[in-house]
Amino acid sequence: SAALPAVLCLPGAPASAGDEPEGPSLTVYSSADPAGFDPQQFVAQQRQGYNPGFAWSVPGFGVVKEVRTVDLAAGVNDLPFTDVAEFIDPTTVSFTDLTSPTGTSVLEQAFRFDLASRDKILERYLDKTIAHETLDKGLVVARIEGRVLSVNQGTVVLETKDGLRFLSTGDMGLRLPALPEGLLTKPTLVWKLSSEAAGRHKVRTTYQTAGLTWRADYNLVLSADATKADLGAWVTLLNLSGASYRNATLKLVAGDVQRIQPRGGRGRAYGAPTLAAKSAEAGFAEKSFFEYHLYTLPRKTDVLDAATQQLTLFPTAQGAAVQKVLVYYGLPEAASWGFFPEPRTDRDIRSSANPKVDVYLRFRNEKANQLGMPLPKGKIRVFQKDDADGSLEFVGEDLIDHTPKDETVLVKVGKAFDVVGDRTQTDFTIDTGRKTMTDSYKIVLRNHKATAVRVLVKETLFRWTNWEILAPSDPFTKLDARSMQFDVT
């Protein structure tokens, strides 16, 4: 798509020189699920020509705000704007005359999207005469003329003096006298305006469009002893809206912005948070905005159509303190313990044990720890430096939810190799008369490392709402009404 023009003149109205282009302002919202959203899949689909409405399924949307200078005559004017997004939502369009706010009024507005295509052009020639030429080595060796009877499913039916001819709509030999009227080469917004004053007017337009979204990606690089880490972040921006936004002011909205969607829909689209920048040259500047966060790139950028691009979200935070945490949850991973209307009295319920010990990294998102910015929902990849050659090796990845400053971030990176666990039910009694049950369990942790490790042992009290630990071997912490935790070395 071509660059957005700064000066747009009505037919017959000369443009004056000296008007500098004012780039558009683009605000992008996202509902992308970082677990499964891959921008490259949408780009590949678009390039291969699949599903012309694919942009509606992009998990996000954009708000485009643009200022242009136009020539208006006194009275009623038809004002067309080209180079607008193909997937615009016409119900969101607004128009404001900044030069004469009270002297210009909008009578009608329309979004014309009947773009010229091979089949649409041929359909405009129904009952009209076109020609077909047969070429040989670039020379015309035969020519026929005929009346178009039908254009359907890629086939043109011509009535010639020698009978009917069936040709493909993609046949390079078809010859048409001109582009039919009424077809456009670009999506166009058209306003019918009433203006009291003739002359040059500065006008602002705003609209929403599908096909725009973004996601956050983090890289956490651990020191060799896994006590310090550097955290960097990127924004991956996807534009399939059908328009390019050159020299644009780019903003991202942070927060869960409610947006009503049609039934059967085009997918959810609302904001997700991003990060504050420490340097205007290196990332986005952040500020509170309503109940959300607004992040503005402090420089202009080109957001090109049918493309992805990566922008630095914030400068790399260096030397943040991290803690490696091992967690053993002996109940099977598939177990789901909710509240039930009756006690769970089965002796063998979920008796099999999970042998794996999970590995987490934990750090405080606070200024004292070189951080302290709102972290958006996104995927965080963890690397550790190998002292042998100084290379970075991938050790795991996880998803983090929206995390305000001064909160704790917990990243699950995998399962321990040398630390395993076992959980065995050693006894169970039930007294139906007194309505009591007694459960006994033994949890064994085995460490095959040469150094001691600290393990948090989590337990869910799943039998019933009332419980008491009668004979613990180690101190424990009650986490909530249904869970407890041992902290052991």
Side-chain angles (χ1 to χ4, degrees), residues 40 61 77-78 105 143 156-157 229 379 395 413 434 460 471:
Q40 296 304 322
F61 68 100
N77 297 261
D78 286 329
S105 59
R143 177 183 172 89
V156 182
V157 181
K379 182 179 292 186
V395 296
V413 294
R434 297 178 59 190
T460 300

Side-chain angles (χ1 to χ4, degrees), residues 451-469:
T451 57
V453 295
R454 180 182 173 189
V455 182
L456 300 180
V457 180
K458 182 182 176 182
E459 272 289 304
T460 300
L461 288 306
F462 60 87
R463 291 289 184 180
W464 188 231
T465 56
N466 300 323
W467 55 270
E468 180 183 357
I469 305 299

Side-chain angles (χ1 to χ4, degrees), residues 163-187:
L164 298 180
R165 293 288 299 272
F166 297 86
L167 302 170
S168 170
T169 56
D171 195 311
M172 300 299 292
L174 290 173
R175 298 291 181 262
L176 310 180
L179 180 68
E181 293 184 0
L183 287 178
L184 305 171
T185 57
K186 297 178 181 179

Side-chain angles (χ1 to χ4, degrees), residues 34 215-219 232-236 275 310 313-314 376-381:
R215 77 174 189 192
D217 289 282
Y218 302 92
N219 288 330
W234 292 84
V235 166
T236 299
L275 304 172
Q310 286 192 307
L313 191 57
F314 66 95
K377 177 180 3 180
K379 182 179 292 186
I380 182 167
R381 298 174 178 87

Side-chain angles (χ1 to χ4, degrees), residues 215-234:
R215 77 174 189 192
D217 289 282
Y218 302 92
N219 288 330
L220 187 71
V221 180
L222 292 172
S223 60
D225 60 0
T227 60
K228 298 287 185 179
D230 298 340
L231 181 65
W234 292 84

Side-chain angles (χ1 to χ4, degrees), residues 386-405:
D386 182 0
D387 282 342
D389 56 7
S391 64
L392 296 180
E393 303 297 344
F394 176 74
V395 296
E397 66 183 15
D398 198 9
L399 304 176
I400 63 171
D401 206 344
H402 309 329
T403 307
K405 65 177 183 177

